[in-house]
Amino acid sequence: MDTTATLESADEAELIAGLPATFRWGVATSAYQIEGAHAEDGRGMSIWDTYCRTPGMVDGGHNGDVACDHYHRMPQDVALIKSLGVDVYRFSVSWPRVQPGGRGLANEKGMGFYDRLVDELLRAGVDPWVTLYHWDLPQELEDAGGWPARDTAYRFADYAMLVFDRLQDRVRTWTTLNEPWCSAMLGYYEGRQAPGRQNFADAMDAVHHLLLGHGLAAARMRAAATKPIDLGITLNMATAMPATESLADQEAARRADGLGARIYLDPLLRGQYPGDILDDLSARGIKMPVVDGDLAIISAPIDVLGVNYYSSHRVSGVDGAGRTEDAEGNPVTSMVPFGRPVTAMDWEIVPEGFTQLLVRLSREYPGTPLVITENGAAFDDVADASGYVADHDRTAYLSAHIAAVAAARQQGADVRGYFAWSLMDNFEWSYGYAKRFGLVHVDYETQVRTPKQSALWYRDTIRQVRGH
Ligand code: FCB
């Protein structure tokens, strides 16, 4: 078994070695992707339970009923996290586990799981970082309208307070939402994630109510905090590069960046939706459902902006058939390949897009520290007889992307930490178990966990940067 740490190139190694000893290192997971125990201890149904049970939605007909069985293997998994030498573990709380049905009192048994998880992490010397919402909306709230309905924002704030009141004595860092773009656009427009609806106007309503839910929860958490907390939100973003210098392509890149990033960044960090995007929406007869006072709630200062990065895009205003307008008369915004190597998700590997994104965030939205809350890659791993995976490709991806973060810091980006996605292979949403993002291999038959080469490289890299 090859357990030696091999840095990918001298340049990357040098950049990474230049990260400060105080840089924070972590691994990330989310509840539905790892916990399993879907019907235990009073857990309710979420939109993902329903989506997985809808034929044709998830590859292989897979679901998260068992997943990595983390609910039953939590102490061993915390020992695994500790063995990687990370400072911090980012996990999400399952809303239907702690508040089945999305209203009312906490479910003590479900809450008890997170209480024990936090204690176990602290005993292991690993800081807990809680994400309150990583996509598992209680089904009852979807039945009442889901994120396009304003009331869901208030339900989220109530739920957030149940968790906050219980864990705030031991948890310092809180992320309200993970990737609202995915919840809104994949969930309510493209239908590629739960709840699988396909209506653009609904998706825009969802954007606003997700942001409002963030703001309402953040205000209540701040007011209730009995000690200093770090509060933020996590956005997934890419650099949208125009495919050519043509006006059509530049406009397409502007639209992609607007709907992918600025429609979240601007209300959160500047207190207003981007004017160009509001104009684009109004040309489609759509208005954001803003009520007086909402933007002040949404733009209350945050302590940290979480950035999830996987790939970047070249954007064109012309489709494959040479058209600049789609069937509904909307301008075309299409992605054209860079021609780079891809991961098993078919996502192109573009580390310099990561550097550009981080430098730009720090320039255009100064004053908010950044933490990379997810970055990683799926590859078609081959485990040997002992379960070990020599994942040179994933190791190379991590090395290139951590170096890209270090390069961004050298250019002035205020990035304070990095979480690898993911601790272990898990349920990759509509791709089921076929796509493996873990630093640790999971044998789903036996639930045996085996650190891959990338895990050992990550552990050794962290040690080197810390200087011991
Ligand atoms: C992100 C999600 C995470 C995981 C990775 C691959 O969009 O936040 O749960 O699925 O992608």
Side-chain angles (χ1 to χ4, degrees):
M1 168 154 93
D2 168 22
T3 60
T4 35
T6 38
L7 282 169
E8 288 312 303
S9 78
D11 288 350
E12 288 173 14
E14 206 182 302
L15 277 164
I16 294 171
L19 286 166
T22 52
F23 195 74
R24 310 251 293 155
W25 298 94
V27 285
T29 63
S30 89
Y32 190 68
Q33 295 181 274
I34 65 165
E35 286 178 1
H38 74 295
E40 251 167 89
D41 292 340
R43 178 183 177 279
M45 292 272 282
S46 81
I47 54 175
W48 271 96
D49 296 287
T50 306
Y51 191 75
C52 291
R53 281 164 179 69
T54 311
M57 290 307 185
V58 175
D59 288 359
H62 295 168
N63 60 54
D65 288 4
V66 178
C68 305
D69 197 32
H70 170 69
Y71 193 73
H72 298 119
R73 294 163 197 268
M74 182 270 284
Q76 298 94 296
D77 286 341
V78 171
L80 184 64
I81 295 165
K82 180 184 164 83
S83 77
L84 299 178
V86 295
D87 309 293
V88 46
Y89 172 54
R90 171 176 179 251
F91 61 93
S92 81
V93 173
S94 158
W95 187 345
R97 200 183 284 293
V98 306
Q99 193 191 37
R103 294 168 204 274
L105 299 177
N107 168 34
E108 178 47 40
K109 281 191 172 159
M111 191 71 92
F113 172 73
Y114 299 103
D115 206 62
R116 293 194 300 282
L117 169 59
V118 165
D119 284 344
E120 193 75 28
L121 287 165
L122 292 172
R123 262 198 298 277
V126 176
D127 282 344
W129 176 313
V130 172
T131 298
L132 286 162
Y133 184 73
H134 201 125
W135 306 353
D136 42 3
L137 185 72
Q139 182 59 42
E140 288 82 349
L141 296 185
E142 173 58 22
D143 296 342
W147 285 109
R150 187 174 174 92
D151 184 59
T152 303
Y154 293 87
R155 301 285 68 77
F156 173 70
D158 284 353
Y159 149 72
M161 288 312 293
L162 292 179
V163 182
F164 189 72
D165 283 342
R166 181 63 176 259
L167 301 181
Q168 71 140 320
D169 59 333
R170 285 154 294 154
V171 173
R172 173 157 181 139
T173 314
W174 296 83
T175 294
T176 52
L177 307 176
N178 177 69
E179 302 188 350
W181 179 87
C182 291
S183 298
M185 294 298 276
L186 299 182
Y188 291 95
Y189 175 48
E190 296 187 22
R192 289 195 283 134
Q193 293 196 344
R197 280 157 64 176
Q198 293 186 325
N199 181 305
F200 186 70
D202 284 352
M204 293 303 105
D205 287 348
V207 167
H208 185 66
H209 297 138
L210 283 152
L211 291 171
L212 181 63
H214 154 82
L216 292 169
R220 288 179 59 187
M221 289 159 71
R222 288 253 192 248
T226 56
K227 39 166 99 163
I229 54 169
D230 290 324
L231 210 157
I233 184 169
T234 277
L235 304 178
N236 56 309
M237 287 175 285
T239 296
M241 310 178 196
T244 71
E245 289 308 305
S246 78
L247 193 60
D249 289 356
Q250 291 187 38
E251 270 290 288
R254 173 191 66 72
R255 286 193 297 274
D257 182 59
L259 279 183
R262 287 184 289 117
I263 200 170
Y264 305 96
L265 291 167
D266 285 18
L268 287 164
L269 301 171
R270 294 180 177 167
Q272 55 186 29
Y273 282 106
D276 61 315
I277 296 304
L278 291 182
D279 290 347
D280 291 353
L281 291 175
S282 112
R284 297 174 75 161
I286 292 170
K287 195 168 171 283
M288 295 304 271
V290 180
V291 171
D292 270 358
D294 284 0
L295 285 159
I297 295 170
I298 292 168
S299 63
I302 53 175
D303 308 299
V304 54
L305 176 66
V307 177
N308 291 358
Y309 179 87
Y310 290 93
S311 185
S312 281
H313 308 299
R314 272 181 85 213
V315 192
S316 171
V318 186
D319 71 10
R323 285 180 298 245
T324 54
E325 281 190 2
D326 68 14
E328 281 110 55
N330 298 314
V332 163
T333 309
S334 70
M335 306 298 165
V336 290
F338 291 92
R340 294 292 191 82
V342 295
T343 69
M345 304 294 283
D346 260 342
W347 296 346
E348 291 189 280
I349 301 175
V350 193
E352 76 276 16
F354 199 8
T355 306
Q356 288 170 28
L357 170 69
L358 296 170
V359 171
R360 174 240 177 150
L361 287 173
S362 274
R363 285 201 186 131
E364 293 181 10
Y365 302 88
T368 307
L370 308 174
V371 167
I372 311 311
T373 37
E374 287 180 26
N375 172 244
F379 287 104
D380 294 325
D381 292 340
V382 182
D384 70 15
S386 73
Y388 178 73
V389 180
D391 57 342
H392 184 76
D393 37 18
R394 185 174 293 101
T395 309
Y397 180 100
L398 293 175
S399 173
H401 286 76
I402 295 170
V405 173
R409 280 180 52 96
Q410 287 188 352
Q411 294 170 49
D414 184 11
V415 188
R416 308 276 178 94
Y418 175 95
F419 288 81
W421 181 271
S422 177
L423 164 65
M424 57 186 160
D425 296 334
N426 58 46
F427 175 75
E428 180 45 39
W429 307 113
S430 41
Y431 298 88
Y433 294 97
K435 303 297 180 204
R436 293 174 176 270
F437 275 89
L439 300 188
V440 174
H441 176 261
V442 176
D443 178 331
Y444 293 111
E445 299 290 313
T446 60
Q447 292 292 351
V448 168
R449 281 85 155 118
T450 311
K452 303 176 191 177
Q453 182 198 358
S454 56
L456 306 173
W457 175 85
Y458 192 52
R459 178 198 65 193
D460 293 349
T461 299
I462 296 170
R463 253 186 222 155
Q464 282 165 16
V465 173
R466 279 211 203 102
H468 58 82

